[in-house]
Amino acid sequence: MSTLKFTQDHEWLRREDDGSITVGITDYAQEQLGDIVYVELPEADAAVAAGTQVVVIESVKAVGEINMPVAGRIVAVNDRLADAPELVNGAPLGDGWLLRIEADDAADLDAFMDEAAYQDYVAGL
Amino acid sequence: MNDAVAGRSTALEALHRELGARLVPFAGYAMPLQYDGGIRQEHLHTRRAAGLFDVSHMGQITIEGDLDALETLVPGDIAGLGLWRQRYSLLTNADGGIRDDLMITRLPGRLFVVANAAFKHDDLAHLVAGLGAACRVSLAEDRALLALQGPAAAAVLGALEPEVATLPFMSARECRLAGRTCLVNRCGYTGEDGFEIALDAADAEGLARRLLADERVAPVGLGARDSLRLEAGLCLSGTDIDATTTPIAADLAWTVARKYRDGSAAARFPGAEVVLDQLTHGTPRVRVGLAPSGRVPLRAGTELVDTAGRVVGTVTSGSFGASVGHPVAMGYVERACARPGTRLEVAIRERRHEVEIHALPFVPHRYYRG
């Protein structure tokens, strides 16, 4: 498994062996949201610009919006979340992943934080 | 998360922080939204064992003097309220709308009124103005209010004072709990058996710690308090009931005293003629329970449309019903659409979702019936 990258919006990105990028939210983000009760996912196989809202995560008391971290195509979404949104709480970096994308330019990932930088970032919040 | 939260604190703020509370501003107070376990777990714990809630932000109002004069402000029967008995009632406006909801207990020589935190100062001013010289009305600033709710509540409190275990539902007694003088009401706002305990603010932390020492008791925040009361079909003042909704529209006709309904006494509360007319003729919209067929949470303000696309109602509050396992909500719909099982739709972020009118409460009440 290759290394994780992190955005300031508390998303994680992981490059898979086939070149696709899996996207989810961090443990910090799920903790902030609290008990997640609904995840609204986009259609797969859609081209999306960076910064476009693609996922809405609702907890009992809050609504979180997830934006496309880099320009690309959504190639898969985690359908299990329709019936089991609590997976995002229980395993945000595992079974609670949100979507898989193909980036238009893989170099776009280089701008994001590595794990150590992200931990520093969270510690400063 | 325990940064300073603007607002007044209750007597339990230090304990809340120690217990890992996430404090949020609510009605001018820093209040616990949830503790470490999270809203869902606190909700389920309350229905399974016992939850301890700090509701000290609520107003504790004392009325002395001509107590029956309160009938000029509320639709409930105050003259017929027995000593140590408690009643849920409403402050109405001239249009029959609801200013606030209240719990009223008759104590020796006075009425003890619990009002919502957000409206307690308005309520106080309204009571003072409405009751005039007939009564002396005061809002306590040095009192705390704890709620112990859930099927284990009676056993937990009974271990401190056996007599409270058989206290009838909606009645009160004064007693000492762990050496502290308390006014205990058998009531609550979760749909479960339980108690509300009023006591001096200085005594609150000691009693709270004593109750939390019982392994059946867990601290529960306002997040679960909201989802519990929603599942129990209970209204949140200012949200599900307000100045534009009458007791009849709110499906609270039972709060109108029988003596007014059968005409044996003349009603004197504000808006009585509107409310009594609606008792006979109904209202255009009525409060109902709502459940989406899927998992999308319904939020306040969302419009409800019928299958023809016509707007027929609005959601007033919604949350996730942890005990029923699906989102639960309340709202107002046109009378023709109010029958349980009626299918409506909502549009949320441009997607359509099916919603069904659901009978209230979503979970059966489990009040103590002796």
Side-chain angles (χ1 to χ4, degrees), chain A residues 28 31-38 40-43 53 56 58-63 82-86, chain B residues 1 22 33-34 36-41 222-223 226-227 295-297 299 318-320 327 348-349 351 353:
Chain A
Y28 175 86
E31 175 76 29
Q32 290 295 306
L33 282 165
D35 297 320
I36 290 165
V37 295
Y38 184 68
E40 190 167 284
L41 294 163
E43 300 290 321
Q53 179 189 302
V56 175
E58 295 202 40
S59 68
V60 178
K61 277 285 148 194
V63 180
D83 291 321
E86 64 276 8
Chain B
M1 286 306 295
R22 187 175 292 187
L33 174 66
Q34 61 170 80
D36 283 341
I39 293 171
R40 176 187 164 83
Q41 187 181 310
L222 293 182
D226 190 53
S227 57
R295 302 216 23 151
V296 68
R299 305 287 184 181
S319 188
F320 187 77
I348 297 173
R349 293 179 291 268
R351 292 190 196 184
H353 301 267

Side-chain angles (χ1 to χ4, degrees), chain B residues 293-366:
Chain B
S293 4
R295 302 216 23 151
V296 68
L298 302 177
R299 305 287 184 181
T302 301
E303 284 186 338
L304 297 152
V305 300
D306 66 12
T307 44
R310 197 171 59 89
V311 175
V312 293
T314 309
V315 178
T316 50
S317 64
S319 188
F320 187 77
S323 299
V324 295
H326 60 74
V328 293
M330 285 196 259
Y332 285 78
V333 299
E334 291 180 6
R335 231 187 316 170
C337 306
R339 186 188 301 275
T342 305
R343 288 174 184 219
L344 301 174
E345 284 184 353
V346 293
I348 297 173
R349 293 179 291 268
E350 291 160 20
R351 292 190 196 184
R352 292 156 77 89
H353 301 267
E354 194 179 80
V355 173
E356 201 169 285
I357 304 294
H358 196 290
L360 293 174
F362 292 95
V363 294
H365 293 159
R366 297 197 292 177

Side-chain angles (χ1 to χ4, degrees), chain A residues 1-6 13-16 109 114-115:
Chain A
M1 188 193 298
S2 63
T3 56
L4 289 169
K5 289 287 194 179
F6 295 86
L13 302 91
R14 185 179 64 220
R15 191 189 304 279
E16 306 296 348
L109 264 67
D114 63 16
E115 182 145 18

Side-chain angles (χ1 to χ4, degrees), chain B residues 46-80:
Chain B
T46 303
R47 295 237 189 272
R48 188 170 57 233
L52 181 67
F53 304 73
D54 178 14
V55 286
S56 302
H57 58 316
M58 298 186 79
Q60 297 185 42
I61 296 172
T62 296
I63 301 174
E64 294 165 290
D66 175 15
L67 305 184
D68 296 350
L70 187 57
E71 290 192 347
T72 60
L73 298 179
V74 304
D77 187 346
I78 302 303

Side-chain angles (χ1 to χ4, degrees), chain A residues 6-23:
Chain A
F6 295 86
T7 74
Q8 291 194 346
D9 299 328
H10 307 285
E11 297 154 328
W12 56 262
L13 302 91
R14 185 179 64 220
R15 191 189 304 279
E16 306 296 348
D17 292 341
D18 64 1
S20 68
I21 296 158
T22 305
V23 180

Side-chain angles (χ1 to χ4, degrees), chain A residues 100-124:
Chain A
R100 202 156 285 146
I101 61 179
E102 280 172 0
D104 291 346
D105 183 352
D108 288 350
L109 264 67
D110 297 343
F112 296 119
M113 293 175 274
D114 63 16
E115 182 145 18
Y118 176 69
Q119 295 304 342
D120 285 348
Y121 170 68
V122 168

